[in-house]
Amino acid sequence: MDDEITEQLTERFTRYCSTKDNGIPEPILGELKSMLRLYEVSPEELDFKWQAYSMKMGAEETQLDLKTARIFKSNLQDTLERESRAKAQARGNTKRTGPVPRAAKAADDVFGMLDGVMPDTPRHGAVSSVNGSTVKRKSHFDTPSGKASKSHEMSSPGGALTPKAENGSGTFDFASREHAGDISEQLNGQIPLPEAPDEPPAEPRLKLKANTDMSKFSYKTMAMKLSEASEVLDDRIDEFRQLVQDHHKLDDSAFGNPTVQSTSEIIAIGRIASDSSGGRFNAKSIVLEGSRRWGSGRRVPLNLDTITSYNFFPGQIVALRGTNASGDFFTVTETLSLPLLNQPASIPSELDVHNSRLLDTPESDPSNLRPLTVLIAAGPYTTDLNLDFSPLQTLLDNAVSSSADALILVGPFLDAEHPLIRTGDFDVPPHVSNPDHATLTDLFRHHISFTLQKFNQRLPTCHVILVPSPRDAHHKHAAWPQDKFNKKELGLPPKQIQCVTNPMTLSMNEIIMSMSSLDVLDMLRREEIVSGKTRATTVYERGARNVIEQRSFLPMFPPTAREKFAAPASVEEKVFVGEGAEEETDEAPSPFLPIGTLLDTSYLKLGEMLNVRPDVLITPSVLQGCVKVVESVLVINPGTLCKKRAAGTYARMIVNPASVSEEERAQGHAVAHKLWERARVDIVKI
């Protein structure tokens, strides 16, 4: 058991150490094992806590040595103690049965009956004690200001709000960042980086084709009907029942209703859910929800004691074999695999056409084609300290220097959780003639559109693809699945810049690329339950496999509650109460919550994958950037280009031309793209 723990810790924490022997020094390993024992966490959970700690310190490059390991351990202890005190205080507050008596303000108002009725202005000559000194107050005959004030960012009307610096966070200067250009993770590093051409190509080397019907995304939000939503959820279960029956070649008699008492073994198709709306999802609270046609729309508890390996999460469509002998619960004996979509493939003649586009000029050598270069980044594109968007400008400079063929930018662009945007504490763009009529669209034009216009002039052959996010403050369509940006309204160049929906599947030559701005990996990590051999796989691989098997960009239902996400940067409000008046503050907690996943269930089918598996699946996440090959799909998490007070990462993908053997060419059949073999992917620090 100790060897297994050592192996898991070595696999996860070696990349944070500065050692050259691909190992962890014994003193550091001892501290990590001590944390596992003291705090009863798994190596995987400890890894995520270290990543969160690194982000909190404001430096992604924090090295794991003996000193930082001990500081990290102390920080964990402090966090647990604070949580324990908060829970104890919450329990104590619930025991109060009566109001707390108000302290007397003065001798003539013993019971506080005149509080709020009589003004607090002292009579002439009265004195008040401040910090032990006697200060004579002057009489004021101005209109008295209100004594009560709200001092949180949801107050109305608002006062002067400013970002509130976190303790120990310090400041961050993007220009003086360290380790810029370093590669944190890599796939197929043996493929060399192509050299930029001496002359830019005469025309774009990529041909884009939308595989998603974007016209269906312009639906009316906030008009969802419960009947329509339930039908969508029911139809999804029935569709998977037919897929499982065809894939495993089963008769209709093999299926049954898991809620009906019977000693016969059946196969049940349904949706995983929890028996309670609150609390953590676990193996004891798991239930199976059937469709109205095949399961009467009822739920039945699941008994998982007889299976040793599983991976479940809310909203997952599953095929389970088992019995319900008692009528109280369904005992699962086997989980049936779900069929996957077919791999993408093209006939040799189509691949030849796509390869011919890789020539920079008609005179270029056809036998020496330059590989494609695609850069992928996800927002936020500026830190919480300002709105200068320096990381975005640096990314565009890198695209120009590498002569990139495509640049995929995933939102949010104007992040609604950014403290300056949330409070409105930013300068009006200079091109706005009337500041009173300025909108967030004007802010997008100034910081994003104008920057992309200059980039388009520098590299006119590069396709730029913009994917929106529910956190984009300027976008009128806030529900997922999400409509595309209005290019004309935002002042984006008409050529080479494409605004697409969220999610989106498109073709870049022969490459099928699917993308969405939802942080599915983090949501699945928070809600899943794992047992047995499934724990051996990483959270990235499990999350990507669930997305591919469920054929949906959002397989979880309901999505993770917004309260479970990390809180946005706090702000403090200074209320102007007039000259000479006293300022009072309200210490109540801020009601502002993370944006979360704004889901329109009636249109959930727009978030499904159709026809074939993608060659590339882009799943941005706040988790550390990574690249994995799962079920022949190249899964890329570029990370975020910016963290709250630190630089982030982006993904660089180099794709070699597709090769076709003489035998495959003679047969004329479709050839699998096998992009994972001929593509190099680097997770690069900006």
Side-chain angles (χ1 to χ4, degrees), residues 124 127 134 168 209 222-223 242 307 323 357 366 382 385 425 436-437 458 464 519 543 558 588 590 608 614 635 678 680:
H124 184 70
V127 295
T134 303
K209 178 184 177 182
M222 301 174 64
Q242 189 62 45
I307 56 176
T323 57
R357 294 195 182 96
T382 185
L385 302 175
D425 187 16
D436 294 335
H437 296 167
R458 299 167 62 191
V464 181
D519 192 347
S590 167
E608 295 182 357
V635 183
R678 54 189 179 95
R680 166 178 171 166

Side-chain angles (χ1 to χ4, degrees), residues 67 97 149 680:
K67 179 180 178 181
T97 58
S149 65
R680 166 178 171 166

